[in-house]
Amino acid sequence: MAFPTETVYGLGADALNERAVLGIFAAKGRPSYNPIIAHVAGVEHACTLVTRWPDAAASLAERFWPGPLTLVLPRAAHVPLALTAGRDTVAVRMPAHPVALALIAAADRPIAAPSANRFTELSPTTADHVNRSLGDRIDVLLDGGPTSVGIESTVLDLTGDVPILLRPGLISRPELAGVLGVLPGDPAPAAHAEEARAAPGMIDRHYAPRARVVLTAPEDVQAVITREMGAGHRVGAVVIVAAESGAAVMHRLPADALGYARGIYAALHAVDEAACDVVCVEQPPADASWDGVNDRLRRAAHPTAPG
Ligand code: AMP
Ligand code: MG
C-alpha cells in the first residue's frame, strides 16, 4: 500500500514481516542491497528496533521528530535482515504526517517504506505520481494531497564514533550540528561498487526524470535552452530567477530551499509528462540549507545508471 508522508509518498509494509518487506523490493524493482527505512510512532517505538539509543539520538529526536530526519542505529535481532539489506544497522524515522502516523498506529507496528516509485525514478509527491509509476502493482493508495517537504529525509548514521551524514535533506548539517555539538562527517569515499552500496542513498544516478537533466548556472540558462532547441530537442526548464526561454514547458520555483524542495519533483514530473527530451535546471545557491536539493539535482543530472 502507498501512503503520504511529509517528505514523499511511501510504499509501505510491515517492517517486521520479512515476506512483506520482500514484496516492497519486488514492486519497486529495488535491488536487495538497498535498505529500507522503518517508520515509527515515536522514540519508544524506535527503541524496540535498535540495541542502543545514544544521547545524540535522544536529543535529535527531541528536536526534529516527528520530521524529515532518519537515524541509523544498531539493529535489534528481531528486525528482518531483508529490511536492512543484511546489515547490523537499521534506519528509523517518525514521520510528521497524520495519515502516516494513523497507519502506523492502526497497524500497531513499524512500517517499512521507501519512496513509492520504481527504482531510480523520481520520487512521488502526489498520489497521481504514485499511480503513474506503480498503479498496476499496488492494491491501496491513500491520497493525502501534495507532500509538504517534497524531498526525502536527511539520513544520519549514529553507529560510529562520529555522526555521519549519509544523505543530506532539508534538516541541514548546521542544524544537526546545533544539536550534536559537532558537524556530522561525510561518508568515506567508496573505493569499490560494493562499498558504495553501504550507503545506497549515494547511488550516483537516482531521483531522475526521463528527460536528460542539464544543471545550468543562472546566466547560462537561456543559452542552454537555445542550444538544446537548436539541436532539435523538446526542452523543459525549471528556473528560479532566469527569464525568457521559449522552452516547451517552464516551471518557476521559489528562491528559498523549503519552497523549492516542495515543488521540484512535481516540476520534473511535469517535464516528463510533457514528453521533454531535455530539462534545463537553473543551479540553485550553494549554501548549506540547499544541500538536500543540490544533492538530488546532482544525482538527477548524473549520466550513468546505478550498477
Ligand atoms: P528511500 O528509498 O528514499 O527510502 O531511501 C532509503 C535510504 O535510507 C537509503 O537510500 C539509505 O541511504 C538509507 N538507509 C536505510 N537503511 C539504512 C541502513 N541500515 N544503513 C544505512 N543507510 C540506510
Ligand atoms: Mg527512493
Side-chain angles (χ1 to χ4, degrees):
M1 95 144 58
F3 65 99
T5 79
E6 80 280 30
T7 59
V8 302
Y9 274 71
L11 180 62
D14 179 353
L16 299 178
N17 179 327
E18 174 139 43
R19 259 194 24 182
V21 170
L22 290 173
I24 296 179
F25 283 94
K28 278 187 62 108
R30 185 180 177 98
S32 57
Y33 57 78
N34 200 350
I36 296 178
I37 296 167
H39 293 75
V40 295
V43 169
E44 257 182 66
H45 201 197
C47 286
T48 65
L49 303 179
V50 303
T51 58
R52 255 181 336 111
W53 187 253
D55 291 346
S59 318
L60 289 166
E62 166 82 29
R63 169 77 180 75
F64 296 114
W65 280 10
L69 176 65
T70 297
L71 301 175
V72 174
L73 292 155
R75 174 184 66 89
H78 69 284
V79 174
L81 285 166
L83 180 76
T84 71
R87 303 143 229 256
D88 286 328
T89 60
V90 60
V92 292
R93 174 172 104 81
M94 178 188 186
H97 194 292
V99 172
L101 291 171
L103 186 63
I104 297 165
D108 194 22
R109 63 200 56 227
I111 304 284
S115 52
N117 54 278
R118 287 173 204 238
F119 181 59
T120 78
E121 281 182 0
L122 276 180
S123 293
T125 56
T126 66
D128 191 44
H129 297 158
V130 178
N131 207 18
R132 274 188 253 142
S133 180
L134 290 178
D136 57 339
R137 297 186 176 203
I138 52 176
D139 47 359
V140 177
L141 166 53
L142 301 176
D143 187 349
T147 64
S148 60
V149 171
I151 62 170
E152 302 80 0
S153 59
T154 301
V155 180
L156 187 72
D157 183 345
L158 292 176
T159 59
D161 296 337
V162 231
I164 300 290
L165 186 61
L166 293 180
R167 177 172 74 185
L170 279 184
I171 295 178
S172 68
R173 203 185 284 265
E175 283 180 282
L176 295 170
V179 173
L180 292 165
V182 289
L183 267 184
D186 287 313
H192 311 288
E194 279 301 304
E195 266 177 61
R197 292 172 179 183
M202 302 195 297
I203 291 167
D204 280 341
R205 182 173 166 85
H206 203 161
Y207 316 110
R210 285 189 295 275
R212 175 165 53 88
V213 176
V214 184
L215 260 181
T216 310
E219 63 275 18
D220 298 334
V221 165
Q222 189 58 57
V224 167
I225 292 172
T226 307
R227 182 192 75 205
E228 294 293 340
M229 287 176 64
H233 294 132
R234 185 170 165 81
V235 182
V238 178
V239 300
I240 302 172
V241 288
E244 310 290 310
S245 119
V249 251
M250 171 103 164
H251 284 270
R252 187 173 296 284
L253 293 177
D256 66 286
L258 262 96
Y260 188 100
R262 188 174 296 150
I264 181 60
Y265 285 145
L268 294 175
H269 277 289
V271 164
D272 276 349
E273 279 290 282
C276 293
D277 309 299
V278 180
V279 55
C280 173
V281 179
E282 178 183 345
Q283 176 75 63
D287 56 274
S289 62
W290 288 87
D291 280 354
V293 163
N294 283 325
D295 170 76
R296 304 308 185 277
L297 291 178
R298 197 167 43 72
R299 288 176 206 290
H302 197 277
T304 52

